[in-house]
Amino acid sequence: ERAFHVVDDNKYSLMNSSYKFRKDKLTQLKNTLIKYSSQIQDALEKDFGKSRAETILTEVLPTIGLINYTLNNLKKWMRPTKVGSSLLYLGTKSYISYEAKGNVLILCPWNYPVNLTLAPFITSFAAGNTNIIKPSEFTPHTNKVLRLILTDVFATNEVQFIEGDAEAAKGLLNLAFDHIFFTGSTQVGSYVMRSASKHLASVTLELGGKSPVIVTENCNLEDAAEKIVWGKFLNAGQTCVAPDYLYIHDKVKDQFISLLMLQITKMYGDNPTSSADYCGIINSNHFKRLSSLLENATKLGASIKRVGEHRDNLKFAPTLVTNCDFSMDILQEEIFGPILPVIGYSSLEATCRAISEKDNPLSLYIFSKDKSEVEFVRKFTTSGGLGVNELILHVSHKELPFGGAGKSGIGRYYGQEGFREFSNQRAVLKRNFNAGLSYFYAPYLKSKYKLMTQVIERFNRFL
């Protein structure tokens, strides 16, 4: 509670900070992030066996890229946006002022503990907010480096980094923040939203769900297999926008499964769990959960195709599941691991209907050269993001807003949309000279009423 009040007492100084102040701080953050890059790689390797190259690709470079993009555009974002006026507002000037919401709580996940901690913070700080960051307790080594980075750059009245377990997060949620940003499961997201409602705090919820990928017969199968294997088994499948299950046209199903197996071997070798390029599972509980999903699927008749063997160092072998259906846990729960159920289909219409009957996914992907197929999927499904002949890259595109739809999330961030998400868009109207509007004030004489009705009939286009 003490930490919160330190931030709260100073929120207006940061809310009214200059572009130069914010720019200088973000530049320092970028330089410090580069300085600690090697320590970040060490930490993620210790926390869950992530390769150094994958850490650079998915953690360090995207974060630096976001800082650069923010620096290049922040001055423009901070400027008030002028808006036009109709004849009724003659003599006034109107604009939208982007002002910080105030005190922000950022609750972070463990799967990308650098990027998914710093990305919302960068955007929130750029908007002028004070921040409390609560990282996941599952990544202690990474948290130690993040604390060093943040304390090197920011004062305690700008950001505080508070570690702890779920009880610490619950304690923070009891405090009166102006905005809460949460990345994690839909179940916990519901709890965060209920907590925020006690203080009428606005929320950004970046959740998950089961993101499907559709592979039609009208696509480059080799290209699709390569991209799906990369996107699915990156970070050992512990990615919120990774494909959670695959629909493949019956005509090419067997061929495509063979291509997937070939690509897994090509990227990670015959025994991926022995590869330094293949990430581990975050902890033993998640490892057991994944094993339980496979046991349930096998019991109900599914076939398992695994490349290599599991290892006791929390390396879970890349696995395809065929002959599966939606009675199985693996197609009911979000997998969040290196398991990909494969389902054959014959009708794209029926497939889209099946997807639409479930909760909206965070992302949806389709591989097809047929524009009509792509447009059909776009029109008759709903998701936070849509990837066409590509996976995951829409998340790191700075000009695209990232977020979910329905149970996969509320709100958007990255780029200008993120700046606005963390800002109060204040409507400002300034009168420069009196244009006679007071004529329409009470008392409403018959002559005034007659004039008003004439305006409706003849001049409504000017209102």
Side-chain angles (χ1 to χ4, degrees):
E1 187 173 355
R2 181 192 61 80
F4 172 76
H5 286 304
V6 169
V7 174
D8 186 59
D9 293 342
N10 291 277
K11 74 174 184 178
Y12 282 103
S13 62
L14 190 54
M15 287 174 72
N16 293 293
S17 59
S18 67
Y19 160 73
K20 184 180 184 306
F21 173 82
R22 300 181 199 182
K23 181 193 74 171
D24 290 347
K25 285 284 187 175
L26 290 174
T27 302
Q28 290 177 49
L29 176 60
K30 178 178 71 171
N31 294 336
T32 308
L33 186 63
I34 294 169
K35 172 185 171 184
Y36 282 96
S37 174
S38 181
Q39 288 94 320
I40 290 171
Q41 295 166 49
D42 292 340
L44 280 162
E45 191 172 13
K46 292 175 182 176
D47 279 333
F48 57 112
K50 195 174 176 81
S51 78
R52 301 178 75 83
E54 194 166 285
T55 293
I56 292 173
L57 180 66
T58 62
E59 298 273 22
V60 180
L61 289 179
T63 308
I64 292 173
L66 178 61
I67 295 173
N68 284 337
Y69 183 81
T70 303
L71 289 171
N72 291 335
N73 292 278
L74 182 56
K75 181 180 285 188
K76 178 178 67 178
W77 297 344
M78 290 177 67
R79 291 192 195 114
T81 301
K82 295 180 181 179
V83 298
S85 298
S86 67
L87 187 62
L88 181 64
Y89 296 93
L90 183 66
T92 67
K93 177 182 178 181
S94 302
Y95 60 92
I96 302 169
S97 175
Y98 298 97
E99 302 172 2
K101 288 189 173 180
N103 294 319
V104 173
L105 172 63
I106 301 175
L107 299 172
C108 311
W110 52 261
N111 58 325
Y112 291 94
V114 175
N115 182 250
L116 295 184
T117 296
L118 293 182
F121 166 69
I122 289 163
T123 313
S124 176
F125 180 83
N129 296 291
T130 52
N131 300 270
I132 284 182
I133 296 174
K134 163 62 178 72
S136 169
E137 67 272 24
F138 294 159
T139 54
H141 297 94
T142 306
N143 293 348
K144 183 177 179 181
V145 181
L146 284 172
R147 179 180 291 279
L148 289 173
I149 291 171
L150 292 169
T151 54
D152 266 12
V153 179
F154 299 97
T156 56
N157 64 339
E158 294 163 354
V159 60
Q160 299 224 3
F161 193 77
I162 298 179
E163 297 182 68
D165 57 13
E167 290 304 312
K170 289 180 180 178
L172 288 168
L173 285 168
N174 286 327
L175 301 176
F177 288 92
D178 298 298
H179 187 83
I180 299 174
F181 184 101
F182 169 76
T183 303
S185 70
T186 301
Q187 181 181 4
V188 179
S190 297
Y191 177 84
V192 170
M193 194 167 184
R194 288 195 300 272
S195 299
S197 69
K198 296 175 185 176
H199 303 287
L200 296 181
S202 55
V203 296
T204 305
L205 303 178
E206 297 299 340
L207 310 177
K210 298 184 73 64
S211 296
V213 54
I214 303 170
V215 179
T216 74
E217 59 180 320
N218 302 308
C219 76
N220 183 326
L221 294 178
E222 290 80 5
D223 177 70
E226 181 180 39
K227 289 173 178 174
I228 289 171
V229 166
W230 175 77
K232 175 60 182 180
F233 299 107
L234 177 76
N235 208 42
Q238 298 164 117
T239 305
C240 60
V241 292
D244 209 71
Y245 60 108
L246 167 73
Y247 278 110
I248 175 70
H249 197 283
D250 288 330
K251 290 183 179 179
V252 293
K253 179 182 175 182
D254 292 341
Q255 179 187 357
F256 194 70
I257 289 173
S258 297
L259 288 171
L260 289 173
M261 300 291 284
L262 181 65
Q263 282 296 335
I264 293 171
T265 303
K266 184 177 179 181
M267 290 187 191
Y268 300 110
D270 293 330
N271 193 13
T273 55
S274 298
S275 171
D277 293 330
Y278 187 69
C279 186
I281 302 303
I282 186 65
N283 57 38
S284 59
N285 287 337
H286 280 272
F287 194 97
K288 292 174 183 176
R289 180 184 60 82
L290 294 171
S291 299
S292 177
L293 289 174
L294 286 183
E295 289 172 7
N296 172 265
T298 303
K299 183 179 179 180
L300 294 176
S303 300
I304 306 300
K305 295 180 180 291
R306 179 183 297 125
V307 180
E309 298 298 327
H310 304 322
R311 293 181 66 194
D312 56 9
N313 62 348
L314 299 182
K315 291 289 186 80
F316 197 100
T319 305
L320 303 183
V321 182
T322 59
N323 300 323
C324 50
D325 59 56
F326 284 91
S327 68
M328 301 173 182
D329 293 344
I330 204 166
L331 285 168
Q332 293 294 325
E333 302 175 17
E334 184 177 5
I335 296 170
F336 221 68
I339 302 171
L340 182 61
V342 180
I343 306 167
Y345 82 90
S346 58
S347 165
L348 186 61
E349 180 180 354
T351 299
C352 289
R353 187 181 300 113
I355 292 171
S356 298
E357 288 172 351
K358 299 174 179 59
D359 293 338
N360 296 329
L362 183 57
S363 295
L364 189 152
Y365 306 102
I366 177 171
F367 285 84
S368 177
K369 294 179 182 178
D370 188 329
K371 293 181 179 179
S372 64
E373 288 183 331
V374 172
E375 188 64 7
F376 186 88
V377 170
R378 187 193 67 79
K379 283 184 175 180
F380 295 102
T381 61
T382 301
S383 62
L386 175 65
V388 180
N389 299 321
E390 192 55 85
L391 262 74
I392 294 181
L393 294 188
H394 67 288
V395 175
S396 58
H397 195 304
K398 306 303 183 297
E399 298 285 351
L400 291 174
F402 174 67
K407 289 188 178 180
S408 60
I410 297 172
R412 293 290 185 270
Y413 79 117
Y414 283 137
Q416 187 169 14
E417 289 300 319
F419 180 86
R420 290 177 175 175
E421 182 79 4
F422 285 104
S423 298
N424 171 38
Q425 298 185 44
R426 195 175 196 178
V428 181
L429 185 146
K430 178 183 178 183
R431 179 161 294 284
N432 294 319
F433 61 89
N434 193 339
L437 188 63
S438 58
Y439 172 78
F440 294 98
Y441 296 170
Y444 301 118
L445 305 176
K446 288 185 178 180
S447 57
K448 294 182 183 180
Y449 176 75
K450 183 178 180 181
L451 180 58
M452 291 178 192
T453 56
Q454 289 175 344
V455 168
I456 291 174
E457 294 170 358
R458 302 180 185 179
F459 305 112
N460 60 340
R461 65 183 182 276
F462 293 117
L463 294 179

